[in-house]
Every structure is written in C-alpha cells, then in structure tokens.
C-alpha cells in the first residue's frame, strides 16, 4: 500500500567506489524525499523530488525520480568515509503523513 | 534557534510504568510527528499532528497516546510500558504543505527508551 521498499539493506564499499541505493513503490508517488542519518545521529533532510524524470545533483550525490514516479535512486560518486550512515527515502501520503523506507546502511572502508 | 528539542534523551522503565516524552519546536511549524526507530525497520510513524489541538494515528499507534495542546509542543505518552516499546523515539516537525507535499522534516536528536 503506502510502503516504499529500499534496496539494498546495507552495502560495504571501498573508499573511492561508487554507491547506489534504490527506492521503489507499487503506487505512484506525489514526491520522494531523501534523508541521511549518521551513526548515533538523527535523520537530516537531503532533497525532495517532485517531477517525473527529475534529476538533481548535490556535489557527489545524484538523485533521480523515475518517469512513472514509482521509483527513485540516490547515487554517490567516489565515496568518502564521511558518507557513512543510513540513507532513507520517504514519501508523503494523503493526510500529510511522511512514510519512510527501511533505509540502506552504507559502510565505507578507508 | 534550537530547532526540535526532545526530553528526556534517555530513560529506563520497568514494565507497566508510564512516562511522557516531550517534543518542542521553535520554528512555528504546523505539523509534528513521532517516529520510532528499531534496527532494520527504519522509521515508523506512531502519531502525528497537523495543527494545535489535532492528532492522528500513524503506522504503529497502539500503546501510545499523544497531545498537542500548544502549537510548539507535541507529547508522546506510554500509559503502561512494555518491552516491545524499547526503541529510539524521534520527534519531527515540518511546515504547512503546498500541493499535497509536506516539505522537509526537521528531527530532534532522539530519545532512547529501554523497558525492562
């Protein structure tokens, strides 16, 4: 129903490698938000995508929203140790609820 | 600006005890939320509020009650704590939406609750 599925659950990379996490929904999304949570910290908003096929970049991070507005991805180029943490996608639903995916935990080995 | 402040940050309870978590925001946000975070399960919405005096159920409301008597405060209550309620609790707030989207959520630092 309102769930968003994230894959993979976790990923280990060597510093300098790329990383991608995917967010999928069975229903059309009005928007998708991405958050990062550092170990021991709280989630911090990264970006919101609203338009079909939208692509936004923040330095080494690239966010995409699918043409059908049912999936999204976050790609990190040349990971650094500062990228470690858990990345969550989230959707707004009717009634102003924001529902989160289970997250992808990123480990970066120096 | 303090943003979103949660108290207490840590608490240990015995089964059956009651407690209240307090969330305060100084950004004049309309919407406020309580989430719980458990390993491997992401953030699950417990209750939320779209304005002073209003509350609504989220994904996992059972065993919790909330109140929003003042716009800046959102209280989460556990009337009779159970070990299954051991978790990290996050409060969040956001601006009033436009076009059906809520906008970014601002989170507090979390409250770690252990129920023995």
């Amino acid at each position: 129903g309102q769930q968003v599925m994230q894959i993979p659950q976790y990923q280990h990379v060597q510093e300098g490698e790329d990383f991608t996490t995917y967010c999928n929904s069975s229903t059309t999304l009005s928007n998708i938000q991405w958050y990062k949570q550092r170990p021991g910290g709280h989630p911090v908003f990264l970006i919101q995508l609203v338009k079909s096929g939208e692509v936004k970049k923040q330095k080494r991070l690239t966010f995409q929203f699918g043409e059908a507005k049912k999936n999204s991805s976050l790609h990190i180029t040349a990971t650094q140790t500062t990228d470690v943490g858990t990345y969550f996608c989230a959707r707004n639903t009717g009634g102003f609820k924001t529902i989160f995916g289970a997250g992808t935990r990123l480990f970066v080995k120096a | 600006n303090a943003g979103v402040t949660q108290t207490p940050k840590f608490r240990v309870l015995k089964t059956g005890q009651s407690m209240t978590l307090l969330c305060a925001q100084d950004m004049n946000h309309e919407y406020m939320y309580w989430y719980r975070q458990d390993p491997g399960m992401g953030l699950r919405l417990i209750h939320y509020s779209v304005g002073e005096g209003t509350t609504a159920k989220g994904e996992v409301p059972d065993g919790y009650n909330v109140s929003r008597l003042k716009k800046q405060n959102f209280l989460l209550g556990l009337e009779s704590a159970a070990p299954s309620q051991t978790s990290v609790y996050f409060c969040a707030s956001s601006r009033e939406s436009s076009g059906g989207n809520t906008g970014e959520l601002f989170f507090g630092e979390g409250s770690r609750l252990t129920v023995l």
Side-chain angles (χ1 to χ4, degrees):
Chain A
Q2 297 182 338
Q3 296 289 334
V4 284
M5 306 302 295
Q6 265 190 270
I7 53 172
Q9 184 177 356
Y10 60 88
Q11 188 157 0
H12 294 259
V13 300
Q14 195 76 31
E15 188 175 25
E17 292 181 338
D18 292 355
F19 160 77
T20 304
T21 174
Y22 301 90
C23 185
N24 300 305
S25 171
S26 59
T27 58
T28 303
L29 302 167
S30 61
N31 72 341
I32 198 80
Q33 297 176 344
W34 286 94
Y35 292 78
K36 177 184 178 181
Q37 183 178 24
R38 294 181 186 275
H42 59 277
V44 175
F45 176 83
L46 294 176
I47 209 160
Q48 175 168 277
L49 305 173
V50 178
K51 299 177 183 177
S52 168
E54 191 169 14
V55 178
K56 288 188 176 180
K57 292 188 176 184
Q58 291 179 351
K59 297 183 180 179
R60 293 178 296 103
L61 277 61
T62 302
F63 304 85
Q64 294 189 349
F65 202 9
E67 293 288 343
K69 299 183 73 173
K70 289 187 175 181
N71 55 71
S72 180
S73 65
L74 158 58
H75 179 82
I76 302 178
T77 303
T79 55
Q80 300 175 357
T81 54
T82 53
D83 294 325
V84 298
T86 302
Y87 293 85
F88 294 99
C89 64
R91 64 172 296 180
N92 288 162
T93 69
F96 316 113
K97 293 185 291 186
T98 300
I99 304 298
F100 283 75
T104 296
R105 186 163 184 184
L106 174 63
F107 300 85
V108 180
K109 186 176 181 180
Chain B
N1 275 351
V4 179
T5 304
Q6 294 180 227
T7 53
K9 288 184 169 47
F10 302 93
R11 185 73 187 269
V12 179
L13 289 177
K14 294 182 180 179
T15 298
Q17 287 185 319
S18 63
M19 76 158 296
T20 301
L21 295 175
L22 170 64
C23 178
Q25 53 96 4
D26 61 4
M27 296 173 283
N28 201 34
H29 285 168
E30 287 293 329
Y31 304 156
M32 296 188 74
Y33 312 82
W34 276 107
Y35 290 89
R36 61 177 289 174
Q37 184 172 36
D38 303 292
M41 301 190 73
L43 295 150
R44 293 183 292 170
L45 182 63
I46 305 171
H47 286 281
Y48 65 104
S49 168
V50 298
E52 181 179 316
T54 73
T55 63
K57 293 180 179 180
E59 301 171 276
V60 289
D62 293 343
Y64 304 95
N65 57 76
V66 288
S67 64
R68 183 106 181 261
L69 299 180
K70 294 183 178 181
K71 185 177 182 178
Q72 64 268 32
N73 296 335
F74 195 29
L75 277 63
L76 178 70
L78 286 71
E79 290 187 350
S80 180
S84 61
Q85 293 177 305
T86 293
S87 188
V88 179
Y89 292 85
F90 285 100
C91 176
S93 70
S94 67
R95 292 186 303 273
E96 189 170 358
S97 69
S98 60
N101 297 320
T102 315
E104 70 175 281
L105 268 60
F106 294 82
F107 283 85
E109 293 186 353
S111 298
R112 184 175 294 275
L113 174 65
T114 302
V115 183
L116 303 175

